[in-house]
Amino acid sequence: MLIKNINASICGSDIAVYKHGTGTGHKISIGEKFGHEMVSEVAEVVLEVKDFKVGQRVYPYPVFAANSPQKAGTLGGFTECLLIKNAKLNHNLYLVPEEFSNEVAALTEPFTVATRAVKRAHPKAGENAYVLGARTIGLAAAFAIRHFGCKVMVADRSDYRLDLAKSFGCGVVNTLKDNVKQTQLDCFGKGYSLKENQPNINITIDVTGIPDFLQDFLDSQIIDSRFVMVGVDNNPKDIDLLGMIFASQSLIGSGGYRPSDVATVFYILKENQKDISKMVTKIYPWEELVSTIKNATDPEKVMNI
């Protein structure tokens, strides 16, 4: 099946490859297509394809659409057309709900990454959650956490991004300017901890990979608290395992997503489409891709392009 890309969102990994070279991000090679957050349109089908019709909008699930988990980041969101082999509904291609704008539909992929991370924490209604990082995946995690009935605070260093999170109804804290612990206590109250005066944070979703944040979580020793790692920090760690055991704390890795997450994301997008559309800062023509990637790096002016 042939699909034509309509809108493609720029991922932080795409920016990393552009800025730092082929050995970073998804390790894209010179001359290879890239981009993996997109909404597309069915352009041509062969007789054997029964699930799709020309003109339908689809979300390509990168892991299966690229025919290899290692090639998901090189699916080709920044190309004009793609050949999808063995097209199968709700496997490598999902039909996009008619009510979604192209801009919102192109955010499906980062929302699935965020939603998978939230599910890995096994959230319970009424729990408190703290999201580290207010870029696209961080805010997507905040929407997902609220979908599961939790109260959420978002942390970042950009007032621009935090103002956007606040407009969505999230608590916010600027980790450069604010008294972080006091702001957490004001929002969540005191938690059940092996230490005194600790904020009642049950779930932490870290999309930054900043080492200090993991240590803050371990030091809090909130009973049964969970820390989900999405952001990458490859440095070796010294961890007090005995303290983790006494507090029943959990460190959880979360990479990528699963097919079941797409249905959850479509529901979240339907619930919040008006707000989520505000995450798209600007739309550029495909021909300006290089300058657009450069523009996407400014944390005080850009959320998602």
Side-chain angles (χ1 to χ4, degrees):
M1 194 167 93
L2 193 68
I3 61 173
K4 181 179 181 179
N5 293 328
I6 307 170
N7 283 67
S9 171
I10 295 175
C11 176
S13 62
D14 300 324
I15 297 171
V17 171
Y18 179 79
K19 291 178 66 177
H20 304 296
T22 55
T24 57
H26 289 290
K27 295 180 172 59
I28 296 162
S29 301
I30 296 296
E32 196 169 33
K33 61 186 182 294
F34 74 122
H36 56 278
E37 301 178 1
M38 71 268 215
V39 58
S40 312
E41 181 180 280
V42 178
E44 189 176 337
V45 297
V46 295
L47 291 176
E48 291 83 358
V49 174
K50 306 297 182 184
D51 293 336
F52 303 96
K53 297 178 181 179
V54 171
Q56 289 178 317
R57 289 188 307 164
V58 291
Y59 158 63
Y61 178 64
V63 171
F64 295 140
N67 287 320
S68 168
Q70 291 78 25
K71 291 292 184 181
T74 62
L75 176 59
F78 301 140
T79 64
E80 293 178 273
C81 293
L82 290 175
L83 180 66
I84 304 295
K85 299 178 180 180
N86 302 314
K88 184 178 179 182
L89 182 64
N90 297 333
H91 176 67
N92 49 11
L93 293 169
Y94 291 76
L95 291 176
V96 174
E98 291 183 3
E99 61 265 38
F100 290 0
S101 67
N102 290 328
E103 295 76 31
V104 168
L107 294 176
T108 299
E109 199 277 344
F111 265 78
T112 55
V113 172
T115 299
R116 168 51 37 181
V118 170
K119 286 182 177 180
R120 293 277 288 148
H122 301 287
K124 303 178 184 67
E127 288 191 314
N128 297 326
Y130 185 49
V131 177
L132 293 161
R135 297 195 67 164
T136 303
I137 292 178
L139 290 190
F143 278 109
I145 288 167
R146 291 200 311 188
H147 171 75
F148 289 104
C150 299
K151 184 177 182 180
V152 60
M153 172 182 282
V154 179
D156 203 276
R157 298 175 177 179
S158 165
D159 285 333
Y160 165 76
R161 291 173 178 166
L162 290 174
D163 286 344
L164 196 57
K166 191 174 182 179
S167 75
F168 298 152
C170 303
V172 298
V173 60
N174 188 311
T175 56
L176 279 180
K177 301 176 181 179
D178 300 333
N179 182 323
V180 175
K181 186 173 181 180
Q182 189 57 54
T183 305
Q184 292 171 337
L185 287 167
D186 292 343
C187 181
F188 298 128
K190 294 180 182 180
Y192 184 41
S193 171
L194 298 182
K195 296 183 177 179
E196 293 183 358
N197 204 37
Q198 297 299 314
N200 186 26
I201 299 173
N202 310 108
I203 297 168
T204 300
I205 309 289
D206 181 18
V207 303
T208 69
I210 295 174
D212 290 348
F213 293 150
L214 173 58
Q215 193 58 53
D216 289 343
F217 163 78
L218 294 170
D219 290 343
S220 73
Q221 294 196 315
I222 295 290
I223 304 299
D224 292 333
S225 56
R226 290 90 79 195
F227 188 98
V228 182
M229 298 168 284
V230 183
V232 178
D233 173 24
N234 289 328
N235 296 313
K237 300 287 183 297
D238 290 325
I239 294 177
D240 177 9
L241 295 178
L242 190 61
M244 276 187 63
I245 292 169
F246 285 162
S248 295
Q249 291 177 298
S250 300
L251 293 181
I252 304 164
S254 184
Y257 39 89
R258 310 296 177 266
S260 60
D261 300 325
V262 179
T264 307
V265 165
F266 280 168
Y267 193 87
I268 292 170
L269 295 180
K270 286 180 182 179
E271 284 181 318
N272 303 280
Q273 182 171 194
K274 185 176 180 180
D275 278 342
I276 291 170
S277 65
K278 298 175 186 176
M279 291 173 60
V280 180
T281 306
K282 192 171 181 180
I283 302 166
Y284 290 87
W286 174 84
E287 292 83 0
E288 297 177 14
L289 176 62
V290 173
S291 60
T292 300
I293 290 177
K294 293 178 182 178
N295 292 335
T297 62
D298 189 340
E300 290 301 336
K301 295 181 179 178
V302 172
M303 172 57 66
N304 182 276
I305 288 182

